[in-house]
Amino acid sequence: MTTSIEQPVPARPASEDATLRAIRNRVLWLSTAIVHHANRVRPNPYGMKVGGHQASSASMVSIMTSLWFEHLRPGDRVSVKPHASPVLHAVNHLLGDLDASYLTTLRQFGGLQSYPSRSKDPDPADYSTGSVGIGATAPVWGALARRYVDGHFGAGGTGRQYSLVGDAELDEGAVWEAVLDPMVAELGEVVWIVDLNRQSLDRVVPDIGASRLQGMFAAAGWQVITAKYGSLLEEAFQRPGGEALRARLDTMSNPEYQRLLRCDVDELRTRLPDSDILRSLVDGLTDDVLLEALGSLGGHDLTALRQAFHDIDETRPTVIFAYTVKGWGLASQGHPQNHSALLTEQQMAELATRLGTSLDDPWHGFEPGTPEALLCAATAARLRRTPVPALPTVTVPADLGRTPTGRATTQAALGRALLDLNRAAPQTAARVVTVSPDVSSSTNLGGWVNKVGVWSPTARPDWFADDAETILHWREQPTGRHLELGIAETNLVGVLGELGATWSRWGQPLLPIGVMYDPFVERALEPWSFGIYAGGQSILVGTPSGVTLAPEGGAHQSIKTPSIGLEQPGCVSYEPAFVLDAEWTLLAALNQLGKPGGSSAYLRLSTRSVDQALAVVPQDSAAREHRRRQVVAGAYALRKPADPAVTICAMGALLPEALQAAERLSALGHEAEVVCVTSADLLFRAVQARAGRDESASWILNAVLPADRARPMVTVLDGHPHTLAFLAGVNGVPACHLGVTRFGQSGNLQDVYRYHGVDVDSIIAAGLDLL
């Protein structure tokens, strides 16, 4: 289970180790001082807690010093655990990538972020972290994205993908969903380093179960390396009574061990021995050696870490369990409540004296020409990356020229549009990559998958290629353009985020589209949102959606997703009603991917078959383009009588009901205008822009809801009614808002629509109430 050391790393000259230890001490000081300054020195007129994690940073100092100053290569990338962000800033400062002026700005507006951020920090961060478990898994999907880009475009290069993971992060289900995915077992460039400090936020964890965790990784095909004890303890184990000491430490509970760390030497000599032979060993150690040896764990020992990195087998993913002490080297080390504890002014002064720095001049660097300054300069030169090349031009057509007829669904429109794009613009379509969690056929991607194949690091035989009854052909090869993972939505959007970031990492934009059942978008929302925050630009398609999925019952009838799409930062949300609307909005969304200032998109599609003649697509080319511009801007008038009495604003699959209600109201003597909303998101931005609170264009409001046609309004959608409720405020009209506000039941479409009050009769009744 645990890798044994067969070929020890050759010993380094003592002077080199002394230099590395001096740099480690400076990293410890800087990371601690960054948090200290933010909380104790910087003026705080509001008196609110600033925060920061001195203890969590201290446990990572040796690991990150060893990794950056000895082992990293330019192509490697590292995801740093959230609470160790001060360590990353300290390292970047020593390497010349962060000016000292920023060291005083932790958690200050415009300064260093609370957690590493690719998009908001002033210094390099390979991955954004902060959402527990998401940053840990990101390099796994980064490895897949790099391989995909390299295989298709000859870019991306090589390099390991490191995750620096807190042991408490292993409680997150997203971690194990990633570890267990079959595709991950082939990614030998993935290396996780677990900071095994055995503490959570509130306490020392009684039994971290390291052996159980090691077994779980090993069972998933990972190489497991353990760096448990450091040199001083290993030396003590060789003395008479050493095996008794090892057995005592191995069987000791975590809380007892950390309590011993906080003992003075007299207490330690009393508490540690549990036998005469161990007491004899303890009595033979000097006070200084005994105190230092007890905290000599592998995660703080540069030799043990060097050996662990040397033993990595690059044919499979690796996890290194590095035993550490939370708060290592600080006055708070080992304390059960040290998670957010801050050192006092006196403790900081004592730390400065011990580490050879000054609290009066905390950011003073190494003197030029010293071994430490030379090693920092050499490391910076070694890790210098080639600048990201200029982005190639990717032209997405605005219209593929087809006018759908008959009955069709917006879900089917997705696969049809991708195939049409492949024919009309093959160079652009070559950058489209689709991802799904085992729902390719049920979300109408079968034709696309048959056309472009399934991506795999290596080619695999299709044993059903000669089976005449096989409709979906599963051809797995490095040139495939569809990725399919297991049924884990967090994995899908994790891959989606990293595929959407290749433009900024390697100068090769991809156009990634992830497809999942809409009811499960909420499950995937957090990691997808975090991918957007980190600069990943992608399209998430939720389909099938809403209570229109009537037979599936309440558990599978999504309600909140329309408003989620409206509220998600960095994303444009669309819910088209017709096939052509779906094609146009998809193309518009693709056009926003893979470039500075771009945007992600969420498309909510339906399995309801709708008569496409209801769209009344203009035949004239100029009128068609006028319709397309309104569709991608958020809305268009579908039924426009000369003098309406009421306006019905409908979105998505309920357009047929809105049109039927308008016809029946007209027969009752009340003309009704019908506005087809394609993006509540863009309409709300237009409302904000009209008030000067957004930079979006507001022309679409004048086009579809002009003031001179302001009438009482009914809004209706297959989702929560508050999604469209703001439209009544455009012109300040009385309104009634219809939608879905409770869990549904199985049934046919009309029964379910009637149950939720979104059927034709309900729309008519709402209109009459207003009139």
Side-chain angles (χ1 to χ4, degrees):
M1 182 183 302
T2 300
T3 296
S4 59
I5 298 173
E6 299 180 358
Q7 295 183 339
V9 177
R12 290 165 60 95
S15 60
E16 293 185 11
D17 266 352
T19 300
L20 197 59
R21 284 195 298 273
I23 290 176
R24 176 183 63 182
N25 288 345
R26 187 58 57 88
V27 172
L28 175 62
W29 168 255
L30 288 172
S31 58
T32 308
I34 287 170
V35 179
H36 174 78
H37 189 281
N39 288 274
R40 307 272 198 204
V41 180
R42 193 169 70 217
N44 185 358
Y46 299 102
M48 295 177 64
K49 175 185 174 182
V50 176
H53 302 84
Q54 291 175 330
S56 294
S57 293
S59 67
M60 288 296 305
V61 162
S62 299
I63 293 170
M64 292 177 67
T65 300
S66 177
L67 183 58
W68 259 264
F69 289 89
E70 288 193 284
H71 302 286
L72 279 187
R73 300 162 296 184
D76 297 341
R77 280 172 166 77
V78 187
S79 173
V80 177
K81 79 169 189 176
H83 292 162
S85 64
V87 185
L88 178 63
H89 299 312
V91 169
N92 283 338
H93 171 63
L94 292 178
L95 297 181
D97 290 326
L98 182 67
D99 189 78
S101 62
Y102 281 105
L103 301 181
T104 63
T105 67
L106 180 68
R107 301 188 174 207
Q108 178 178 294
F109 186 81
L112 301 177
Q113 298 300 298
S114 304
Y115 311 120
S117 173
R118 286 191 74 218
S119 58
K120 296 186 181 299
D121 268 320
D123 57 329
D126 291 330
Y127 290 96
S128 295
T129 60
S131 185
V132 175
I134 304 304
T137 58
V140 173
W141 314 126
L144 276 180
R146 187 202 62 76
R147 287 198 183 199
Y148 186 94
V149 166
D150 193 53
H152 285 77
F153 304 104
T158 60
R160 288 177 178 169
Q161 300 279 337
Y162 289 94
S163 283
L164 307 183
V165 184
D167 52 10
E169 284 193 90
L170 299 183
D171 291 342
E172 284 289 343
V175 167
W176 298 105
E177 289 182 349
V179 168
L180 293 173
D181 194 277
M183 194 175 289
V184 174
E186 301 181 44
L187 303 177
E189 63 267 47
V190 171
V191 179
W192 284 17
I193 306 168
V194 179
D195 173 17
L196 200 67
N197 62 43
R198 293 154 293 171
Q199 280 189 239
S200 61
L201 189 151
D202 293 324
R203 61 177 181 150
V204 178
V205 180
D207 181 12
I208 199 67
S211 60
R212 174 175 54 86
L213 294 172
Q214 290 164 342
M216 292 168 70
F217 275 98
W222 288 50
Q223 178 194 22
V224 180
I225 298 173
T226 300
K228 186 170 186 179
Y229 295 121
S231 301
L232 285 177
L233 275 176
E234 291 291 352
E235 291 171 6
F237 295 154
Q238 303 307 311
R239 299 186 178 208
E243 286 306 312
L245 176 60
R246 185 192 295 272
R248 174 83 167 101
L249 294 175
D250 281 345
T251 57
M252 185 181 294
S253 71
N254 297 329
E256 182 184 5
Y257 172 74
Q258 299 207 188
R259 180 64 185 89
L260 290 178
L261 289 174
R262 301 191 60 76
C263 290
D264 61 31
V265 70
D266 292 333
E267 287 182 296
L268 187 56
R269 289 187 185 280
T270 301
R271 290 182 178 228
L272 178 59
D274 65 347
S275 65
D276 290 340
I277 189 171
L278 181 51
R279 183 171 292 104
S280 177
L281 171 61
V282 169
D283 289 345
L285 299 175
T286 66
D287 290 352
D288 289 344
V289 170
L290 178 60
L291 288 171
E292 189 176 356
L294 184 66
S296 176
L297 298 182
H300 302 305
D301 189 274
L302 298 175
T303 301
L305 290 168
R306 191 176 300 127
Q307 184 69 58
F309 288 121
H310 174 267
D311 290 341
I312 292 173
D313 173 10
E314 293 193 333
T315 65
R316 52 184 171 150
T318 295
V319 59
I320 299 172
F321 285 91
Y323 280 70
T324 62
V325 175
K326 194 165 184 173
W328 175 82
L330 306 181
S332 60
Q333 76 170 3
H335 194 282
Q337 281 89 49
N338 66 5
H339 182 78
S340 298
L342 299 170
L343 299 189
T344 65
E345 195 80 14
Q346 181 179 343
Q347 290 170 335
M348 285 294 296
E350 292 169 353
L351 181 66
T353 299
R354 179 159 58 83
L355 298 180
T357 59
S358 168
L359 196 54
D360 295 328
D361 186 13
W363 322 123
H364 185 71
F366 293 118
E367 296 298 330
T370 60
E372 294 80 11
L374 293 173
L375 180 55
C376 288
T379 301
R382 169 170 54 83
L383 296 180
R384 190 167 294 119
R385 292 173 179 166
T386 303
V388 175
L391 296 175
T393 300
V394 179
T395 303
V396 179
D399 188 346
L400 298 176
R402 193 167 61 89
T403 302
T405 57
R407 300 188 67 86
T409 72
T410 54
Q411 176 180 282
L414 172 66
R416 177 79 262 172
L418 290 176
L419 289 171
D420 287 347
L421 179 65
N422 205 51
R423 284 190 289 269
Q427 290 185 325
T428 297
R431 295 188 178 273
V432 173
V433 51
T434 55
V435 190
S436 70
D438 196 33
V439 293
S440 300
S441 55
S442 58
T443 55
N444 287 96
L445 283 179
W448 167 258
V449 172
N450 285 343
K451 179 67 177 178
V452 302
V454 178
W455 182 83
S456 173
T458 56
R460 293 172 177 158
D462 178 7
W463 296 107
F464 291 88
D466 58 349
D467 187 335
E469 296 183 6
T470 298
I471 299 175
L472 182 63
H473 297 286
W474 210 252
R475 294 178 290 109
E476 297 180 85
Q477 53 201 357
T479 57
R481 282 151 50 194
H482 175 76
L483 274 73
E484 185 150 303
L485 306 175
I487 305 177
E489 285 78 13
T490 56
N491 286 352
L492 179 142
V493 294
V495 172
L496 207 58
E498 291 306 315
L499 291 169
T502 60
W503 66 274
S504 59
R505 292 197 192 281
W506 301 293
Q508 287 294 338
L510 295 176
L511 308 179
I513 303 172
V515 182
M516 67 174 63
Y517 288 173
D518 195 65
F520 308 138
V521 165
E522 292 178 67
R523 186 186 301 175
L525 184 63
E526 184 202 4
W528 188 55
S529 177
F530 215 81
I532 295 173
Y533 171 79
Q537 298 168 5
S538 61
I539 298 173
L540 183 61
V541 177
T543 183
S545 65
V547 300
T548 299
L549 192 62
E552 291 285 341
H556 279 184
Q557 296 171 357
S558 54
I559 295 172
K560 295 184 291 182
T561 47
S563 56
I564 285 174
L566 185 155
E567 295 159 8
Q568 173 60 46
C571 164
V572 175
S573 173
Y574 289 108
E575 185 167 351
F578 301 105
V579 167
L580 191 54
D581 294 354
E583 176 188 300
W584 283 339
T585 54
L586 174 66
L587 295 174
L590 287 171
N591 193 47
Q592 291 300 310
L593 302 181
K595 57 188 177 183
S599 171
S600 293
Y602 162 57
L603 270 65
R604 190 174 191 249
L605 305 183
S606 172
T607 49
R608 184 188 183 184
S609 179
V610 172
D611 181 2
Q612 298 304 300
L614 296 176
V616 194
V617 179
Q619 298 296 311
D620 180 81
S621 60
R624 179 186 175 103
E625 172 58 15
H626 182 264
R627 165 72 68 85
R628 187 200 68 79
R629 288 183 64 245
Q630 291 190 335
V631 166
V632 300
Y636 61 96
L638 190 55
R639 189 179 191 275
K640 196 170 183 178
D643 186 19
V646 65
T647 299
I648 302 173
C649 292
M651 186 165 75
L654 288 177
L655 256 297
E657 277 66 31
L659 290 169
Q660 289 179 45
E663 292 297 331
R664 286 175 54 184
L665 282 168
S666 177
L668 293 171
H670 307 291
E671 287 292 348
E673 182 171 18
V674 176
V675 174
C676 178
V677 176
T678 53
S679 175
D681 181 6
L682 291 179
L683 292 185
F684 183 75
R685 295 189 202 190
V687 170
Q688 293 293 86
R690 179 180 280 183
R693 297 186 179 94
D694 194 283
E695 296 181 358
S696 303
S698 61
W699 63 267
I700 188 64
L701 297 178
N702 295 328
V704 298
L705 296 173
D708 62 353
R709 292 174 65 84
R711 301 293 189 275
M713 179 183 293
V714 177
T715 66
V716 59
L717 76 155
D718 187 355
H720 199 283
H722 99 277
T723 308
L724 298 179
F726 71 93
L727 290 176
V730 173
N731 292 312
V733 297
C736 180
H737 307 292
L738 307 180
V740 181
T741 57
R742 59 190 185 274
F743 293 114
Q745 298 190 27
S746 298
N748 64 48
L749 201 60
Q750 293 309 311
D751 287 342
V752 171
Y753 278 7
R754 190 178 305 111
Y755 173 78
H756 289 287
V758 293
D759 60 322
V760 175
D761 286 353
S762 296
I763 298 173
I764 293 171
L768 292 175
D769 284 344
L770 291 171
L771 295 174

